[in-house]
Amino acid sequence: MSSSDPHQTAPRYIEDDTIDLGELLRGLIAQWPLIVGITVLGAVIGVAVALLLPKQYRVEAIINQPSRGAVQPLLAQQIAPLTLDELSERFLLNIRSLSLIEQAYSQADLGGDQDLDSLSDEEAFSQIQNVADALSVGPVRYEFYQLGADEKTPLNSLSVNLLSSEPRRAKAFIDELLVLAEERTLREAISNINATKAIRIESAQSQYDQLLAGAEASLARERRRVQQALSIANSLGLEEPTSWEALVLGDGQVQMINQLANDELFLNGSRFLTAQLESLSADGAAELFLEGVEETMFDLNGNQMVITTTPSQLQGEIRALSNQTFALSDVTLLDEDAAARIPSNAEKPNRPLIAIAATVLAGFAALFIALIRMAIRSRKED
């Protein structure tokens, strides 16, 4: 006969959370058809996607910095001093120009059936912006290791490349873009030089015109002086040159002559004065009275200097500037090797990697689904 103790506690049942690996493996093995099927399906899908993705090639053009001989006319001129680095920088900026990218896009038919004319302004701008973002432009560094030296000798070049599924059109696009960028760079440089040249010619011509205006005023004064002396010589009947001793017969006449003229030019006679007046009335006579322009300048030490610019120097500067002409055919930025090239192997897609990744992901997904099924079945059995 059992007696019950009211203070006696009831037995506790502890839930066992341990995982039986053997049972788990047996459950997974039991679902091998599901796991294998999902894995194979994922592998097939991965292979199909890898095969359907178009090949993309990295079309690239390597551009070396132009030699000084190729742009010597622009570097040698002193009208608007220009350096080789400035030309290269302008060229690099023009390669990234959206307007030039749009021209090259249209001329190379990079879009294929997607013509810019068939798109709205917003869509066309977005398309050009996408191409500009995909276009990679940057320096290329080749490193040559010297034996026994830790330093590297860099040789900088410019790489212009584009990843495209239409490599031939991408090549035509890059080639056209480089030509357009070269033309704009040289045209801008020559235009800047010509504008500076025009300003300097206009400034020199303005200075020369001012000197010529002053010379013409001096010529007019000289012409009036000769005309006055000729009038005096005619009134005295002096045809040939004479002197005061031969002319003066008394103090009264000397006083009269001094009242008529301020100098002795009339003593040259009317024949000489008439010839001189004709000479002063001829074309270009004002150039005889041209004088230089004096400018006050200070050197680096603060010393004052007076520089005189003569009319002949101004005319020489105008002729020298006018004779300097520059044409696009005189200079070049691109060498013969500056052309885009298509590689033999595509950069994208990496088909084996895509297939392997798809298979692995499908396998993990199959295991996850199998574990979920096992958990659901175990809960139903409990």
Side-chain angles (χ1 to χ4, degrees), residues 202-214:
E202 185 176 355
S203 177
Q205 187 64 48
S206 176
Q207 292 183 7
Y208 182 81
D209 292 341
Q210 291 178 1
L211 294 179
L212 187 60

Side-chain angles (χ1 to χ4, degrees), residues 19-331:
I19 299 175
D20 189 352
L21 294 179
E23 182 180 356
L24 180 62
L25 291 177
R26 287 191 295 271
L28 291 177
I29 293 173
Q31 299 187 70
W32 71 266
L34 175 64
I35 297 175
V36 173
I38 294 177
T39 303
V40 172
L41 179 61
V44 172
I45 294 176
V47 172
V49 170
L51 293 176
L52 291 176
L53 288 176
K55 291 183 179 180
Q56 293 186 341
Y57 297 83
R58 177 73 63 179
V59 183
E60 183 180 32
I62 302 297
I63 306 169
N64 297 320
Q65 191 177 50
S67 63
R68 294 185 178 273
V71 291
Q72 186 270 340
L74 298 183
L75 301 181
Q77 55 83 29
Q78 297 299 321
I79 300 174
L82 193 64
T83 64
L84 191 60
D85 291 337
E86 291 175 345
L87 276 176
S88 300
E89 182 179 355
R90 290 183 184 179
F91 180 62
L92 179 59
L93 292 176
N94 285 325
I95 290 179
R96 304 294 304 183
S97 172
L98 289 179
S99 60
L100 294 186
I101 291 177
E102 182 176 359
Q103 294 182 35
Y105 183 95
S106 300
Q107 296 180 13
D109 195 19
L110 183 62
D113 298 334
Q114 193 175 14
D115 191 5
L116 292 179
D117 295 335
S118 61
L119 302 176
S120 63
D121 294 340
E122 294 78 6
E123 292 175 344
F125 177 78
S126 299
Q127 184 68 17
I128 296 301
Q129 188 67 52
N130 292 335
V131 175
D133 294 339
L135 183 67
S136 177
V137 181
V140 178
R141 293 176 59 92
Y142 297 98
E143 297 176 349
F144 297 91
Y145 291 87
Q146 298 178 356
L147 185 61
D150 296 333
E151 297 183 353
K152 302 170 184 176
T153 304
L155 175 62
N156 294 326
S157 299
L158 189 66
S159 171
V160 181
N161 58 82
L162 180 66
L163 187 63
S164 174
S165 59
E166 298 286 344
R168 296 190 179 277
R169 290 181 177 177
K171 171 180 168 55
F173 166 77
I174 293 178
D175 291 340
E176 185 66 27
L177 179 61
L178 294 180
V179 173
L180 293 175
E182 179 191 33
E183 290 179 355
R184 174 176 287 188
T185 301
L186 296 179
R187 189 165 53 248
E188 289 175 347
I190 293 175
S191 177
N192 184 35
I193 294 173
N194 290 333
T196 305
K197 180 179 73 173
I199 294 174
R200 290 182 57 180
I201 290 176
E202 185 176 355
S203 177
Q205 187 64 48
S206 176
Q207 292 183 7
Y208 182 81
D209 292 341
Q210 291 178 1
L211 294 179
L212 187 60
E216 290 177 349
S218 300
L219 174 62
R221 290 193 297 268
E222 182 66 16
R223 190 182 294 115
R224 287 194 300 269
R225 192 172 73 91
V226 173
Q227 287 176 347
Q228 184 179 11
L230 178 61
S231 177
I232 296 173
N234 288 332
S235 64
L236 294 176
L238 299 178
E239 184 177 356
E240 299 296 333
T242 185
S243 63
W244 281 105
E245 291 78 6
L247 180 63
V248 177
L249 300 177
D251 295 339
Q253 290 186 354
V254 173
Q255 183 179 3
M256 179 189 67
I257 292 173
N258 286 335
Q259 293 176 353
L260 293 177
N262 296 325
D263 52 30
E264 302 175 358
L265 184 61
F266 68 93
L267 294 176
N268 291 326
S270 59
R271 190 167 64 89
F272 176 82
L273 293 174
T274 301
Q276 186 177 4
L277 187 61
E278 291 178 356
S279 175
L280 293 176
S281 301
D283 296 336
E287 296 180 358
L288 299 174
F289 298 88
L290 286 173
E291 298 179 354
V293 179
E294 293 185 354
E295 294 181 340
T296 302
M297 303 182 64
F298 296 90
D299 58 12
L300 298 177
N301 298 324
N303 300 324
Q304 182 175 348
M305 300 182 300
V306 178
I307 299 178
T308 302
T309 303
T310 63
S312 59
Q313 289 177 336
L314 293 175
Q315 287 182 319
E317 182 180 1
I318 293 173
R319 285 194 297 269
L321 290 173
S322 301
N323 292 333
Q324 292 191 49
T325 58
F326 305 93
L328 292 177
S329 58
D330 297 336
V331 289

